[in-house]
Amino acid sequence: LFSVQASLCIASRHDSIMSAWLGTFSLMRPQVPDWLETLCQRLTDNDPTLTTVEVIRQRIDDSNVIVLAKALQENTTVTTLVLSLYNIVDDGALTLGATLQRNRSIKTLQLRDIRDGREIDVLFQSLCQNTSITELSLRHSSVCTRGAKAIKKFLQTHKTLAELRLVDCQIMPLAATAIADGMEQNASIERLYMINNGMGSAGSEPLGNVQAINKSLKELYLGENQIGDEVMQSLAQGLRDNSTLESLNLRSNNITSVGASSLAFILQNNRSIVRLYLASNLFQDKGVSLLSTSLQHNQVLQTLDLSENGIDSKGAESLAKMLLSNQMLKELNLSSNQIGDAGALAIANVLDKNQTLERLSVRGNKIGNDGAIAFARKLPFMKGLKELIMIKNSFGLEGRAMLLRGIQLNMELEYLHVDDRSPSEQTVREIVHWIRLNRAGRRIFKETNLNVGLWPFVFAKVNPNPDVLFHFLNQKPEVFIQSTKKRKLASR
């Protein structure tokens, strides 16, 4: 009896130990959320409606990264993959890397929140074997020298990448040098965005030679890196022999008139830059004067952004002089400066002579009634301008009333932005009506002899709003009269 009882006790203890072990095993298995299970099933089934996978708000852990990566290995429908990898470690990086090596459908890849250079190293080493990705973005990540070396190798070897974005990252100076070295040997990237990466002048300087050596780059965005005048000089030297770069963005970089001088020297002879964005720098009037002089005979640049540069009336006068001779610029942004009434008068006085500028913004420039009236008086004579932005200024009802009178005699302007200070004010609504009429082709109505019976069809195609038809008939009642007479004759 004692022997039987002892056996039962031992068996009971064995069962309890096994039960505890199995419970521990179940806790060790990855806890896959329901949404991820559903997503992985769709990936495995190659759901044709699933072309974009975006996992940002859900900070999945390393085990779930592995689950998702395995589901993506044989998938052929997803073309865009966006992942937040805040909790990724070695195993997750290795599995995801293996997937990126095999997958051939993903064209756009965005990786976010990678905290360790080891994971960047693993992922970019794997991406060296990928032959399908054309757009790659790394955001909110820390790029040390180890990770940068992997990025360098990737840039040197990858043949299909057309766009690289490094945004809101922490990039050390040595890491920036490695990335610049990789760019110099890359022959496929057309668009490079390095935005707010804390590089400063030391980290940005290696990028100065990229434009001189890389012949594929068409767009370069170095905004919000505080590069300063010294790096601007280096960039200008790199641009001297460049004939492929079309768009350059240097927003928020602490560039003063010293850096503007270097840039102005290049713009005199540059034959490729079409768009130049220089917002939120420190050019002030002196720097703007240097740029304006260099652009007087520039035959390439079409877009110029000088918003938030401390420009007052003298800088506006320099730009006005440039607009008299420049016959290529189509868009000029002077938002958030202080040109005032005097600056508005200087620019307005040349817009009847310049027929190429299509879009002008003087938003937030302390323009009062006198400045608004200056634009209003020139509106009837403007032939090229399509959009004029004047919001956030200080002119009142008098200025808006004069703009209304001006737009009634202007048949070219299609967008006029002014503040609607009072919901009950008729002036702004009248401006909107005349602008809509312009967009519907008021000038064509004036100049053509097309059968009036066709105009309702034209209105239906361009602008179905009855306000437009009302204003047109109000201005040309003879059209309605002629149309009525024709219908009466036809009925006889």
Side-chain angles (χ1 to χ4, degrees):
L1 180 63
F2 176 79
S3 175
V4 172
Q5 289 178 340
S7 298
L8 290 173
C9 182
I10 293 171
S12 175
R13 288 186 59 193
H14 178 267
D15 290 343
S16 64
I17 292 172
M18 286 297 296
S19 175
W21 183 84
L22 290 171
T24 304
F25 177 74
S26 65
L27 291 173
M28 291 172 61
R29 290 185 298 172
Q31 298 296 312
V32 181
D34 292 341
W35 66 267
L36 184 56
E37 281 191 358
T38 303
L39 174 61
C40 289
Q41 188 61 55
R42 293 179 66 191
L43 290 170
T44 303
D45 294 343
N46 274 312
D47 184 344
T49 64
L50 185 60
T51 59
T52 299
V53 171
E54 186 173 299
V55 182
I56 298 177
R57 294 181 180 177
Q58 312 93 330
R59 285 192 169 180
I60 56 178
D61 59 25
D62 197 61
S63 60
N64 287 332
V65 171
I66 294 173
V67 172
L68 178 59
K70 288 181 177 179
L72 278 165
Q73 282 184 354
E74 303 300 331
N75 179 273
T76 59
T77 63
V78 174
T79 58
T80 300
L81 178 61
V82 183
L83 294 178
S84 174
L85 302 174
Y86 185 81
N87 294 315
I88 195 173
V89 290
D90 293 349
D91 291 342
L94 287 168
T95 309
L96 180 59
T99 294
L100 294 174
Q101 282 182 340
R102 296 177 59 178
N103 186 285
R104 292 294 179 266
S105 66
I106 297 173
K107 305 296 182 184
T108 301
L109 175 64
Q110 183 183 130
L111 304 175
R112 306 167 65 108
D113 310 314
I114 303 178
R115 297 177 294 169
D116 197 314
R118 291 180 305 173
E119 279 63 61
I120 293 179
D121 184 16
V122 170
L123 290 170
F124 276 87
Q125 291 283 2
S126 300
L127 284 170
C128 290
Q129 309 301 318
N130 179 284
T131 58
S132 62
I133 290 176
T134 59
E135 297 181 9
L136 175 61
S137 177
L138 183 64
R139 295 172 179 259
H140 307 291
S141 300
S142 179
V143 183
C144 62
T145 305
R146 178 178 177 177
K149 287 181 178 179
I151 296 175
K152 173 184 175 179
K153 182 180 178 182
F154 166 74
L155 292 173
Q156 290 173 335
T157 58
H158 206 271
K159 304 300 182 184
T160 63
L161 192 69
E163 177 177 298
L164 175 63
R165 292 175 180 258
L166 301 174
V167 182
D168 297 327
C169 294
Q170 287 297 318
I171 301 180
M172 306 304 171
L174 289 177
T177 301
I179 294 172
D181 290 343
M183 278 299 304
E184 289 179 4
Q185 299 180 51
N186 181 281
S188 65
I189 292 182
E190 297 180 353
R191 301 175 297 276
L192 175 61
Y193 296 79
M194 300 188 70
I195 307 169
N196 191 29
N197 289 309
M199 296 188 299
S201 58
S204 303
E205 188 171 4
L207 295 169
N209 293 326
V210 170
Q211 307 93 290
I213 299 173
N214 185 292
K215 300 303 180 184
S216 64
L217 201 61
K218 293 182 179 180
E219 296 181 19
L220 179 59
Y221 195 129
L222 296 177
E224 303 172 47
N225 283 300
Q226 313 303 320
I227 67 175
D229 292 328
E230 186 175 348
V231 177
M232 182 65 251
Q233 292 173 349
S234 177
L235 286 170
Q237 290 178 358
L239 287 169
R240 183 178 54 190
D241 300 319
N242 182 285
S243 59
T244 57
L245 192 69
E246 298 175 358
S247 181
L248 177 62
N249 194 315
L250 298 172
R251 175 186 175 88
S252 299
N253 272 301
N254 284 338
I255 304 171
T256 71
S257 58
V258 177
S261 176
S262 302
L263 185 59
F265 178 76
I266 298 302
L267 290 176
Q268 286 180 336
N269 302 305
N270 183 273
R271 294 291 180 269
S272 66
I273 297 179
V274 177
R275 298 174 296 277
L276 182 59
Y277 303 96
L278 302 169
S280 304
N281 281 293
L282 307 170
F283 286 176
Q284 299 185 325
D285 291 334
K286 185 177 179 180
V288 169
S289 177
L290 292 167
L291 287 175
S292 299
T293 301
S294 69
L295 290 173
Q296 285 183 8
H297 302 291
N298 181 288
Q299 297 299 314
V300 181
L301 192 69
Q302 296 182 17
T303 299
L304 177 61
D305 184 357
L306 289 170
S307 56
E308 291 187 90
N309 265 286
I311 305 169
D312 63 23
S313 58
K314 291 183 178 179
E317 290 170 3
S318 300
L319 289 166
K321 186 177 179 180
M322 178 268 292
L323 290 173
L324 277 175
S325 55
N326 184 290
Q327 299 300 315
M328 184 56 65
L329 195 66
K330 293 183 178 181
E331 181 176 349
L332 178 60
N333 188 354
L334 299 177
S335 300
S336 303
N337 285 295
Q338 300 93 37
I339 68 171
D341 288 336
L345 177 63
I347 292 176
N349 280 341
V350 302
L351 290 180
D352 58 335
K353 303 175 183 65
N354 181 300
Q355 297 188 14
T356 55
L357 191 69
E358 297 178 356
R359 186 176 188 273
L360 172 65
S361 175
V362 288
R363 177 185 186 275
N365 265 280
K366 300 182 179 179
I367 298 173
N369 285 327
D370 290 343
I373 292 171
F375 275 102
R377 286 175 175 168
K378 288 294 181 179
L379 273 174
F381 310 103
M382 295 180 190
K383 301 300 181 183
L385 200 65
K386 301 297 183 184
E387 183 172 12
L388 177 60
I389 303 173
M390 301 188 70
I391 60 174
K392 304 297 182 183
N393 281 294
S394 55
F395 59 85
L397 179 59
E398 181 184 0
R400 293 192 290 277
M402 287 298 292
L403 286 170
L404 172 59
R405 292 178 59 182
I407 195 60
Q408 289 174 342
L409 300 174
N410 179 303
M411 292 182 286
E412 303 291 338
L413 199 67
E414 298 179 354
Y415 300 91
L416 175 59
H417 307 269
V418 295
D419 290 318
D420 190 358
R421 301 286 176 86
S422 172
S424 61
E425 186 181 318
Q426 295 289 332
T427 307
V428 174
R429 282 186 283 180
E430 286 292 310
I431 289 174
V432 171
H433 291 326
W434 285 95
I435 286 296
R436 286 176 176 170
L437 185 57
N438 280 0
R439 290 206 295 270
R442 179 160 61 120
R443 178 176 57 80
I444 300 175
F445 280 112
K446 284 279 189 179
E447 297 176 355
T448 187
N449 292 318
L450 188 65
N451 189 323
V452 292
L454 296 176
W455 286 121
F457 298 100
V458 176
F459 273 121
K461 290 287 185 182
V462 178
N463 192 332
N465 194 313
D467 291 341
V468 176
L469 183 59
F470 168 78
H471 277 274
F472 170 68
L473 294 177
N474 188 47
Q475 185 192 23
K476 288 182 69 66
E478 67 273 15
V479 171
F480 178 73
I481 295 170
Q482 290 172 6
S483 181
T484 303
K485 287 180 178 179
K486 288 183 178 181
R487 284 198 299 271
K488 287 181 179 180
L489 289 172
S491 64
R492 291 177 184 175

